[in-house]
Amino acid sequence: MLGKVYYPHGGLPPKWQDLIKAGANIGCVIGQIGFGILGDAFGRKFVYGKELILIIIATIVTISVPSYFSGHQVLLWIFICRIFLGIGIGGDYPMSATVVSDRANIHRRGTMLCFIFANQGWGSFTGSLVTIVTLSGFKHRLKNGHPHDVDKAWRVLVGLSLVPAFGTLYQRLVLPESRKFELTKDSNNNTRTSLPEAVTPKKGAGVDEKVTEVDSEASPVVRPVDAAGERHGVIASKKAHWQEFVEYFSTWNHLRVLLGSMLGWFLVDIAFYGINLNQSVVLAQIGYSGKTGDVFDQLFDVATGNIIVTALGFLPGYYVTLFLIDIVGRKKLQFMGFIMSGLFLAILAGEINHLGKGPLVACFTFMQFFFNFGANTTTFIVAAELFPTRIRATAHGISAAAGKCGAILSSLVFNQLKAKIGTSAVLWIFFGTCMLGFLSTFLIDETMGVDPDEKDEAERRAKGEIQ
């Protein structure tokens, strides 16, 4: 849309296209790591909701760009805003994942996390649908020689995203701290007592020796409280948190799963975002290039193509995962997802210039389906389950940031590589990343039915760190 308004003859300059696509992902890396650290250091309740406030502010500033600016000035404004928008979006990854993981029943944890992640599919579908409806509202004007009304249309579209943001802000800001997180943050040298010993107080114990118990589904550990019932150590210092983080990952088995989580997410996002940030290549092949007719016809074509792709591949993949994640397990789905996505990428790479419209749509749909019924979803879930509560948000944020680095890489080099070596060769590169992703999955552990806090407590007790 920006190209139709500010660059009506040649479209957006290629370098600006790449920067606009990469802007939000650059911000995401900052937000994922930053909010992840803050979520562990200061608590989920203290941090959760702040990332949404940042998203709201960045969105409002984006649509406030003066219309009298030149094309380059507008794009620079939007690029900067998208970085801040990305920081907020990035912060949502570790915070939403840990808020759910901290509270979820261990036997339904994967389903809950998948349900949260699957909503981005509905966001993509709704966004395309709202685009179609909004363009229909401007149809008369656009068809009658007022192409600059596209400037109003894109502002309306972006502004409408504020509706669900404001709708969920209050609930985030008043969400109480999870009991599991409170129990893991003890300022008194992390002293813990196992649940069986803590359920029955010693005979004659005074008020100061009471214990606070948490559901067995939520956490296997307890800790002392004072007479007033005040919780100790909910807020840990940044220094203590970083020391705890470094000590935890100084063990190879712990570092191995973090590397596996990071690599899997990085590799899947190279292919996934490489395809989806440059979806126009596929849309052109299936007849939705947006290059024929007037301004309305072109924009409407692209919006229609996007909603077709989302409905056929995105949503079915998410919801098949939703039903099977706690039956099949995460690791098997990730293995399968990488293999099947790679298979359809190989078919597209070898035959993209020879496939008819129907076979191309089918191949692309199955590829998208297995991305979402596989590594695109499992990397988010596994990163929220591999690590104990005390360092979960930080580790999830680092894993997610690795994924976004893959997305940035794709968004910056896809168009340049396509121009130099062709679309087919780029798709072969994506096939290679899927095969490497398959290999990286061997580094992670299966997390279905596993409580990382129980494992962490057992390891620390064996080392004599806790009693």
Side-chain angles (χ1 to χ4, degrees):
M1 287 188 174
L2 294 173
K4 302 299 182 187
V5 178
Y6 299 103
Y7 300 90
H9 302 297
L12 290 179
K15 289 185 178 179
W16 274 111
Q17 284 188 47
D18 294 340
L19 284 173
I20 293 296
K21 291 173 184 175
N25 286 325
I26 292 170
C28 271
V29 172
I30 300 170
Q32 286 160 339
I33 296 175
F35 277 90
I37 293 170
L38 294 174
D40 281 335
F42 297 110
R44 282 56 155 153
K45 175 178 172 56
F46 180 82
V47 177
Y48 202 44
K50 309 302 189 296
E51 78 292 339
L52 188 55
I53 292 174
L54 183 56
I55 291 171
I56 289 171
I57 293 172
T59 301
I60 292 172
V61 175
T62 297
I63 61 179
S64 301
V65 57
S67 57
Y68 56 81
F69 273 13
S70 67
H72 278 41
Q73 289 174 320
V74 169
L75 294 181
L76 179 61
W77 179 294
I78 291 176
F79 171 70
I80 295 171
C81 288
R82 280 177 66 82
I83 291 177
F84 285 96
L85 179 69
I87 293 173
I89 293 171
D92 187 66
Y93 276 73
M95 295 313 303
S96 289
T98 52
V99 162
V100 172
S101 188
D102 287 353
R103 290 169 166 78
N105 180 305
I106 192 172
H107 303 297
R108 301 293 293 167
R109 186 179 58 204
T111 302
M112 291 297 296
L113 286 165
C114 185
F115 183 77
I116 296 299
F117 191 68
N119 278 286
Q120 73 173 3
W122 282 112
S124 178
F125 182 86
T126 304
S128 299
L129 186 61
V130 170
T131 300
I132 289 174
V133 173
T134 303
L135 286 173
S136 297
F138 285 91
K139 181 177 180 179
H140 178 74
R141 295 275 300 173
L142 295 176
K143 286 281 190 180
N144 286 277
H146 299 280
H148 276 77
D149 275 20
V150 175
D151 188 49
K152 300 175 184 177
W154 79 260
R155 294 172 194 264
V156 170
L157 283 172
V158 176
L160 285 172
S161 66
L162 293 170
V163 175
F166 278 113
T168 58
L169 179 60
Y170 176 75
Q171 287 82 355
R172 292 191 178 211
L173 293 175
V174 300
L175 189 74
E177 190 64 85
S178 72
R179 295 180 70 189
K180 177 177 280 192
F181 178 80
E182 290 178 337
L183 294 171
T184 62
K185 293 299 180 182
D186 192 334
S187 60
N188 296 317
N189 299 319
N190 291 319
T191 302
R192 300 187 183 186
T193 308
S194 65
L195 185 59
E197 297 172 339
V199 171
T200 306
K202 295 179 181 178
K203 185 177 180 179
V207 174
D208 289 345
E209 293 175 303
K210 288 181 184 177
V211 295
T212 297
E213 183 178 352
V214 69
D215 298 337
S216 59
E217 293 288 353
S219 175
V221 297
V222 294
R223 63 174 177 76
V225 296
D226 60 19
E230 295 179 352
R231 298 174 179 88
H232 294 283
V234 173
I235 298 179
S237 69
K238 289 183 181 179
K239 183 177 180 181
H241 170 61
W242 269 114
Q243 182 179 2
E244 192 173 43
F245 182 86
V246 172
E247 287 176 356
Y248 182 82
F249 287 110
S250 64
T251 302
W252 165 244
N253 277 338
H254 297 160
L255 182 60
R256 168 181 57 82
V257 295
L258 177 62
L259 290 174
S261 178
M262 292 172 63
L263 280 172
W265 211 331
F266 173 76
L267 292 165
V268 72
D269 274 12
I270 289 177
F272 183 77
Y273 281 91
I275 292 291
N276 288 287
L277 286 176
N278 300 280
Q279 204 162 263
S280 58
V281 176
V282 176
L283 294 179
Q285 294 287 337
I286 63 176
Y288 292 96
S289 63
K291 294 183 178 179
T292 58
D294 55 28
V295 171
F296 174 81
D297 293 332
Q298 292 172 17
L299 295 175
F300 197 85
D301 258 9
V302 173
T304 303
N306 286 334
I307 204 169
I308 290 172
V309 169
T310 302
L312 290 178
F314 273 51
L315 291 175
Y318 286 129
Y319 282 92
V320 174
T321 307
L322 183 72
F323 290 114
L324 293 179
I325 189 74
D326 282 317
I327 298 174
V328 177
R330 290 66 160 150
K331 199 167 179 177
K332 291 178 182 177
L333 286 183
Q334 188 158 311
F335 275 131
M336 180 273 301
F338 273 125
I339 285 292
M340 296 303 295
S341 297
L343 171 64
F344 286 104
L345 274 167
I347 295 172
L348 285 172
E351 299 293 333
I352 191 167
N353 296 319
H354 306 100
L355 288 173
K357 181 177 178 180
L360 181 62
V361 171
C363 193
F364 185 76
T365 297
F366 278 116
M367 181 194 66
Q368 292 283 27
F369 174 82
F370 283 109
F371 266 128
N372 294 303
F373 178 42
N376 186 47
T377 304
T378 56
T379 48
F380 176 87
I381 294 171
V382 166
E385 298 181 316
L386 281 170
F387 312 103
T389 302
R390 60 196 176 102
I391 50 99
R392 179 176 295 142
T394 304
H396 190 283
I398 291 172
S399 298
K404 279 296 177 283
C405 286
I408 293 169
L409 182 64
S410 276
S411 64
L412 291 177
V413 306
F414 181 91
N415 286 329
Q416 297 177 38
L417 280 177
K418 186 182 70 170
K420 291 181 179 179
I421 63 177
T423 302
S424 179
V426 174
L427 293 175
W428 278 119
I429 293 174
F430 292 160
F431 165 79
T433 63
C434 285
M435 296 303 99
L436 290 174
F438 175 86
L439 295 176
S440 74
T441 305
F442 285 103
L443 292 172
I444 65 172
D445 297 330
E446 178 55 65
T447 57
M448 183 173 66
V450 176
D451 189 333
D453 287 315
E454 286 184 349
K455 290 176 63 177
D456 184 46
E457 184 191 15
E459 290 174 3
R460 297 179 73 192
R461 183 173 286 112
K463 293 178 181 178
E465 295 178 7
I466 58 175
Q467 300 176 353

